[in-house]
Amino acid sequence: MVHTKSTELPAYKLVNARNLQMVHDQALRELHVTHSGQQFQANQHVPTSIATSGSQNLQERITIPDSLMGTPVSRSESDSMHRPNAELYDRHGKESDCWIRFDHHPASKQASQTFSSYEESIQGNPWSGDRESELPAKPYAPFSTFADFDFAEFVTEHRLSSSTINDLLKRLHRTWASQVLVTLETADEIEQHVKMSIEPKLAFNETRVSSSYQGAGGDPVHEEHVVFIRSIRDWVSAVVKDPVLLPHFQWYPVKKYHIVGNREVQYVDEPWSGQDWWDDQDAIGDDGILYDVEEEKSSPEYINYKRQLYHEVLLSVFSSIVDSSRVGHGVICADAVLRTLYILIKFASGDYEEQVDMALIRGVNSLHPCPVCLVPRNALSDITTRYPSRTAEQSWKAYQEAFASQAAGENSKAEEVLKAYSLRPVFNAFWHLNHTDPHRAMCFDILHFFDGGLWGRHLWPELIRCIREESGGANITVIDDRFSLLPSWQNMDHLEKVVDLTFVDSRTHFSIMKDMLSGPRLHVHYVVRSLAELRMYAGLHVVTPTRLAMARKARDSFAIMVNDLSGSVLKDFNFPKMHYLSHLLDHLWRKCASRHYNTILGEGMHVLMKAAFRQTNAKEFEAQIASQFDSLTAIRRIRRTVDLYEQALGIDRISPPKRSEPNNSPHLEAPDNPIPVHAFENNSRYNLNSFHLQLCHFLASLAAEGSASSAGAQASLDSLMIFPFKRLRVPYISYDDWSANVDHVHAHPFFHGKPRYDAILLSDKATGKLGFARLKFLFRCYGLGRAWDIAVISRARIIRQASEVEIGMAIVEESEEEELILTSSIKRAVFLSPTFENIGEVGPRFFVNDLVDYDMILRLNPSYIYGT
């Protein structure tokens, strides 16, 4: 591998007015200013008729490479990064030095694969068949025309009622238009065609489950319940036979490695890269292929009855895959290969109460309240001690022993056996499935255990209570006031009020957690910082040993602090959601990244269910909702076939705009009207003094850096045009999953009714050192035979490192002095939140918030090395 280091073009400070006149004449002599009405891309050659040979040679010498350069970290550099007050450096490796390797399980009989990027590694296997030959000649069948299908899709997706559809068709055919392409005339016709397109094996089928329990008077109560179930086995078989989905299947587990230079790091992201899948493949052998399935979610007699009914329904759901879990079932897949599939339940995701029901334990007041291990009830806050794990075999043996004792009339002994393990006297439906352990399948759910749990329901209310007590019970509107002054950030809610919110979803809780450290300072903020840091590590899309170690450090720190304050400053944290932190790291490595078993995926079904319910008559609505979902599934399957058909024929109904410029360098967007440089300073929208002289000097310094001379150039400041822009598109490679992402930073005097000047992260290409600044103005100009994209910024220097601040965020002080830099120096947007303290020596002070996204929590950590 060859490592190169690029040279940073200078960031030139705007000199004050009295020095400008001294350099004015010299700058004009050195600067060859050219202008053309034609728009050029930044850092590209201008037309030959404009550029001179000298300026072209100059360009070749000083053009900045688009990609960020870097070299592997040596031992001495690595040691320096672990110093408490180490400065921030950009340790991004060159793209040519970063690659991915997959080591396949021996059962696959596949050699190792390498990929040039993370994106390539997740794109799926290459298609080897003839896709066009797989497509029908009439992809919109059973509809007569494409227009009929398109209309049916519209009314189905928007859940229009039959009366509305009939009225719409009547107006369409008789009033609104002539020669209408839609031939359908009634809602009944549409319903008939949709039903014809539903595959019978994939439809929901009515199933009846009978159960009984002993009533309050001692008499047995018999009940029958109707549920609608889609066969898991038939659904899996249909999916693996689908030629469109075939390239995205991973038939065997893999071990994944991210390689930067000579450093190799194993990582886990998708389920097939977790240790569990590898171990299950070992248990099944070479002939089987795993198909992973996720499962979401008064009197003692009646309580046991409800659990029994729950598992009777689960058994009906599992009935189609019981044999598949034991001996497998053969399926000829889309690539004409016969495979034996073993269908297992590996992720049981839900809130605590749902996991209690799936594991059939007795809950929070039992001797051992955890569905995963046998932690005592009084030790739930001790998350650093490892307790014996529950197993399906252990629970099954306890159930058998209790059942035998009950059959012998020894009810008290049966109760003692079950009570010792905190189990209920109910047969667990998961026991019917081989290679499936309900206790091992339980997942740490970010939604319920973090955002809406430890933080949203416990620590956040405690923090508000502590602040109220600190203020003597007075109104604490200062928190709302500070939240309203925070800047905007993508994928974060901008909240005006947070103290007295009545309903808060998980996204809002997460946003509050990220911003709350900017509020009034209390000792409790140490605890908030540790929990917020742990939450960020838990949500990373890629898990590595280094990141697990960082998460463990944050988790243990949180546990120590919260237990020290528990029962005094804070309430007692001895409850199951606190204990689940002891299983978090194990789940991240054994299973995969937490986003794959976060119940936020299933919570979205609530919206669909409510929308579907509104279309029913509220009587026997279960069957009607099941029918609606069958219709949606069929319509979307046809839509996919139609899209593939049109793609194969080159039909492009809606073409997304194509970008002509490279996507790996910053790009100016939202252009404003051009302004002659001599009129620029008189424009009240841009408060920049002596701008044209500073720009002239800046370009002259670039010429000097390029070792070029343009002496004798005939140019006047009056001929220089400024092309302002209000937004900069900044692409970057995420430190989290090494994928391409984009920030949009603004320098807008009137963005949605108010000024917006974003903070940015800069990187010196020569040293890799990171810095912070405020974006003031964006523009393009033409000189030295090329186009220049330039930003006016004000620096924000670090006055306290993150390790020196109680809340773990560095403090910067923004200067009023302005500088000119090339936009290629801008690496990311950055979130600067006010400290709400007195103005510093040179300007206002801000916290550098590293909790805003998964890239920042790693990028701004001085001890973290890219790729680990």
Side-chain angles (χ1 to χ4, degrees):
M1 297 290 180
V2 179
H3 304 282
T4 62
K5 186 176 293 185
S6 63
T7 302
E8 171 72 313
L9 289 177
Y12 181 72
K13 292 187 177 181
L14 297 183
V15 297
N16 56 43
R18 65 183 178 184
N19 292 330
L20 283 174
Q21 194 61 40
M22 298 171 60
V23 299
H24 175 226
D25 295 336
Q26 179 182 356
L28 283 179
R29 286 193 299 270
E30 295 176 351
L31 179 61
H32 179 197
V33 179
T34 60
H35 167 65
S36 171
Q38 181 180 355
Q39 292 291 319
F40 304 118
Q41 296 176 13
N43 303 333
Q44 298 297 317
H45 287 217
V46 300
T48 307
S49 59
I50 298 178
T52 64
S53 59
S55 62
Q56 288 179 352
N57 293 335
L58 173 62
Q59 177 188 347
E60 293 172 1
R61 287 194 289 270
I62 65 176
T63 297
I64 305 174
D66 291 327
S67 60
L68 178 63
M69 302 299 181
T71 57
V73 181
S74 67
R75 166 57 64 180
S76 59
E77 291 172 330
S78 177
D79 291 343
S80 68
M81 287 188 295
H82 288 268
R83 293 197 303 268
N85 295 329
E87 294 186 352
L88 292 172
Y89 287 86
D90 194 347
R91 300 180 181 87
H92 192 300
K94 288 176 56 182
E95 285 190 14
S96 59
D97 292 339
C98 303
W99 46 291
I100 302 292
R101 189 183 79 240
F102 284 6
D103 288 349
H104 296 271
H105 190 278
S108 70
K109 299 179 176 60
Q110 294 184 51
S112 296
Q113 286 179 279
T114 58
F115 305 91
S116 61
S117 66
Y118 184 79
E119 287 94 337
E120 182 185 353
S121 73
I122 62 176
Q123 285 177 355
N125 301 312
W127 173 262
S128 57
D130 184 1
R131 180 165 294 177
E132 293 187 30
S133 65
E134 301 289 341
L135 297 174
K138 192 177 178 181
Y140 41 80
F143 293 91
S144 301
T145 66
F146 171 76
D148 285 348
F149 160 70
D150 199 49
F151 184 82
E153 178 189 36
F154 175 82
V155 298
T156 304
E157 290 285 357
H158 289 81
R159 294 181 170 84
L160 301 184
S161 65
S162 296
S163 59
T164 302
I165 296 172
N166 285 328
D167 188 34
L168 189 61
L169 286 170
K170 180 180 178 180
R171 294 170 185 270
L172 191 62
H173 285 295
R174 300 182 183 180
T175 309
W176 288 349
S178 60
Q179 298 180 344
V180 177
L181 297 178
V182 177
T183 64
L184 299 170
E185 295 185 353
T186 65
D188 289 340
E189 285 187 67
I190 295 177
E191 183 179 0
Q192 181 181 1
H193 281 79
V194 171
K195 286 184 176 180
M196 291 170 58
S197 64
I198 296 173
E199 295 185 20
K201 286 188 176 183
L202 299 184
F204 284 96
N205 296 307
E206 180 180 309
T207 303
R208 296 184 178 271
V209 178
S210 301
S211 58
S212 61
Y213 65 97
Q214 188 174 357
D219 297 328
V221 178
H222 300 281
E223 292 184 350
E224 185 176 67
H225 303 269
V226 176
V227 294
F228 291 84
I229 296 172
R230 175 180 288 165
S231 169
I232 297 177
R233 175 171 171 166
D234 290 341
W235 176 78
V236 170
S237 298
V239 168
V240 298
K241 292 177 181 178
D242 192 324
V244 178
L245 297 179
L246 178 66
H248 303 286
F249 274 104
Q250 185 68 39
W251 301 108
Y252 293 92
V254 298
K255 290 185 177 179
K256 300 183 177 182
Y257 298 88
H258 184 244
I259 301 169
V260 181
N262 297 322
R263 184 175 60 245
E264 180 178 288
V265 177
Q266 184 180 358
Y267 70 90
V268 172
D269 55 351
E270 303 283 354
W272 49 84
S273 62
Q275 188 62 40
D276 271 3
W277 198 322
W278 192 279
D279 294 341
D280 288 332
Q281 188 69 58
D282 287 340
I284 289 175
D286 294 354
D287 297 330
I289 294 173
L290 301 180
Y291 195 93
D292 197 26
V293 179
E294 299 184 19
E295 171 66 25
E296 276 197 281
K297 34 180 192 184
S298 5
S299 68
E301 176 70 22
Y302 186 68
I303 291 175
N304 290 334
Y305 160 73
K306 289 194 296 183
R307 272 63 179 185
Q308 179 183 358
L309 176 61
Y310 179 80
H311 279 262
E312 288 288 344
V313 173
L314 276 184
L315 184 57
S316 297
V317 175
F318 296 161
S319 61
S320 65
I321 62 172
V322 170
D323 291 340
S324 299
S325 72
R326 297 174 180 176
V327 297
H329 75 284
V331 180
I332 299 178
C333 302
D335 55 356
V337 175
L338 174 63
R339 293 182 173 90
T340 302
L341 304 182
Y342 286 77
I343 305 176
L344 317 178
I345 307 293
K346 302 308 297 180
F347 295 166
S349 190
D351 61 22
Y352 173 71
E353 290 75 15
E354 290 167 338
Q355 295 196 17
V356 163
D357 289 343
M358 287 187 281
L360 281 175
I361 67 169
R362 302 193 177 198
V364 66
N365 293 320
S366 62
L367 295 177
H368 305 286
C370 178
V372 180
C373 72
L374 293 171
V375 59
R377 181 177 58 194
N378 60 357
L380 293 174
S381 60
D382 180 13
I383 64 176
T384 58
T385 302
R386 190 178 182 87
Y387 293 93
S389 298
R390 293 181 182 270
T391 64
E393 181 181 6
Q394 175 195 79
S395 298
W396 165 241
K397 288 181 178 179
Y399 174 83
Q400 283 185 311
E401 183 180 349
F403 185 80
S405 298
Q406 189 178 35
E410 299 176 335
N411 292 339
S412 60
K413 182 179 179 181
E415 174 66 12
E416 289 177 3
V417 171
L418 294 174
K419 189 175 181 180
Y421 293 96
S422 299
L423 295 172
R424 294 203 176 275
V426 177
F427 189 91
N428 196 311
F430 286 89
W431 294 341
H432 284 281
L433 305 177
N434 275 19
H435 308 290
T436 296
D437 187 329
H439 307 294
R440 195 169 176 83
M442 298 302 162
C443 300
F444 186 98
D445 177 34
I446 292 287
L447 175 67
H448 291 102
F449 295 161
F450 252 132
D451 300 344
L454 272 174
W455 169 248
R457 295 190 61 182
H458 297 284
L459 191 54
W460 165 241
E462 284 294 287
L463 180 59
I464 293 298
R465 180 185 61 79
C466 290
I467 295 176
R468 288 188 188 276
E469 292 178 356
E470 184 76 12
S471 61
N475 190 10
I476 53 172
T477 57
V478 62
I479 297 180
D480 290 337
D481 294 340
R482 292 186 175 187
F483 263 82
S484 65
L485 294 174
L486 293 175
S488 300
W489 187 266
Q490 59 182 353
N491 300 323
M492 263 177 62
D493 293 340
H494 189 271
L495 304 168
E496 298 291 334
K497 296 183 180 298
V498 298
V499 175
D500 296 318
L501 291 176
T502 55
F503 175 79
V504 182
D505 59 17
S506 61
R507 174 191 168 101
T508 304
H509 271 311
F510 193 24
S511 297
I512 294 174
M513 180 192 292
K514 295 176 179 181
D515 287 336
M516 190 57 211
L517 293 172
S518 299
R521 225 68 71 230
L522 293 174
H523 187 61
V524 183
H525 277 78
Y526 290 98
V527 184
V528 176
R529 170 67 197 192
S530 296
L531 183 64
E533 193 172 329
L534 178 58
R535 168 61 180 88
M536 297 304 296
Y537 293 140
L540 292 173
H541 294 177
V542 171
V543 182
T544 68
T546 298
R547 299 176 185 187
L548 284 178
M550 296 161 68
R552 180 175 289 106
K553 181 180 178 181
R555 184 201 65 179
D556 294 349
S557 174
F558 170 74
I560 292 172
M561 287 188 287
V562 79
N563 286 327
D564 287 344
L565 299 175
S566 196
S568 55
V569 177
L570 299 176
K571 70 177 186 179
D572 189 358
F573 271 67
N574 191 73
F575 48 79
K577 289 181 180 178
M578 176 71 178
H579 166 73
Y580 256 77
L581 291 179
S582 65
H583 302 302
L584 169 61
L585 307 183
D586 176 56
H587 290 185
L588 290 175
W589 191 252
R590 265 201 308 111
K591 299 176 181 292
C592 59
S594 62
R595 65 178 177 142
H596 295 290
Y597 43 84
N598 188 342
T599 53
I600 192 66
L601 302 173
E603 296 293 320
M605 285 293 294
H606 294 175
V607 178
L608 297 178
M609 287 291 185
K610 291 178 181 178
F613 179 78
R614 286 193 289 267
Q615 280 192 281
T616 70
N617 59 7
K619 299 176 182 179
E620 299 180 350
F621 55 84
E622 296 91 345
Q624 299 173 59
I625 291 177
S627 177
Q628 288 184 46
F629 279 104
D630 285 338
S631 298
L632 280 172
T633 301
I635 285 291
R636 290 171 181 174
R637 178 181 54 79
I638 296 175
R639 165 53 66 186
R640 190 195 61 193
T641 305
V642 168
D643 289 344
L644 290 171
Y645 178 83
E646 293 181 343
Q647 181 182 354
L649 297 181
I651 301 174
D652 192 5
R653 297 185 184 274
I654 302 177
S655 296
K658 296 182 179 180
R659 303 186 63 91
S660 58
E661 75 282 349
N663 288 327
N664 59 351
S665 59
H667 177 73
L668 292 170
E669 297 179 337
D672 210 340
N673 295 325
I675 304 174
V677 70
H678 66 82
F680 192 84
E681 294 179 5
N682 298 324
N683 193 317
S684 60
R685 292 182 63 184
Y686 310 105
N687 186 22
L688 300 173
N689 295 323
S690 304
F691 170 79
H692 57 294
L693 296 181
Q694 286 115 0
L695 174 60
C696 181
H697 196 277
F698 176 65
L699 294 180
S701 66
L702 295 180
E705 283 289 321
S707 301
S709 174
S710 54
Q714 299 296 319
S716 168
L717 289 178
D718 292 339
S719 66
L720 186 61
M721 292 289 292
I722 300 299
F723 296 85
F725 291 81
K726 297 187 287 288
R727 185 175 65 238
L728 181 68
R729 181 182 183 273
V730 183
Y732 67 94
I733 301 298
S734 171
Y735 270 49
D736 174 19
D737 59 5
W738 318 299
S739 64
N741 291 267
V742 173
D743 275 337
H744 289 93
V745 293
H746 298 79
H748 201 308
F750 204 69
F751 184 80
H752 292 288
K754 59 182 179 180
R756 178 172 175 178
Y757 297 96
D758 291 338
I760 52 176
L761 182 68
L762 306 174
S763 176
D764 187 304
K765 286 189 168 75
T767 65
K769 187 176 179 181
L770 297 179
F772 306 98
R774 176 81 58 191
L775 196 60
K776 294 297 188 69
F777 181 56
L778 293 164
F779 68 96
R780 176 175 295 161
C781 67
Y782 301 92
L784 304 177
R786 60 185 283 182
W788 298 95
D789 285 357
I790 299 175
V792 180
I793 65 167
S794 58
R795 293 273 182 178
R797 66 181 182 90
I798 299 177
I799 60 172
R800 293 180 65 188
Q801 298 288 346
S803 58
E804 304 170 346
V805 182
E806 308 83 36
I807 63 173
M809 295 180 183
I811 297 179
V812 298
E813 188 172 280
E814 184 179 340
S815 170
E816 294 182 359
E817 187 177 278
E818 294 167 340
E819 302 179 19
L820 291 175
I821 64 168
L822 295 176
T823 58
S824 57
S825 301
I826 300 174
K827 298 307 170 189
R828 270 219 67 181
V830 70
F831 191 87
L832 298 184
S833 55
T835 62
F836 299 105
E837 297 174 351
N838 295 330
I839 300 290
E841 296 179 2
V842 297
R845 294 182 175 182
F846 300 88
F847 291 114
V848 182
N849 193 330
D850 60 338
L851 301 174
V852 289
D853 59 41
Y854 299 124
D855 170 79
M856 279 297 184
I857 191 66
L858 299 175
R859 187 184 294 267
L860 296 183
N861 187 338
S863 65
Y864 180 74
I865 301 174
Y866 175 81
T868 60

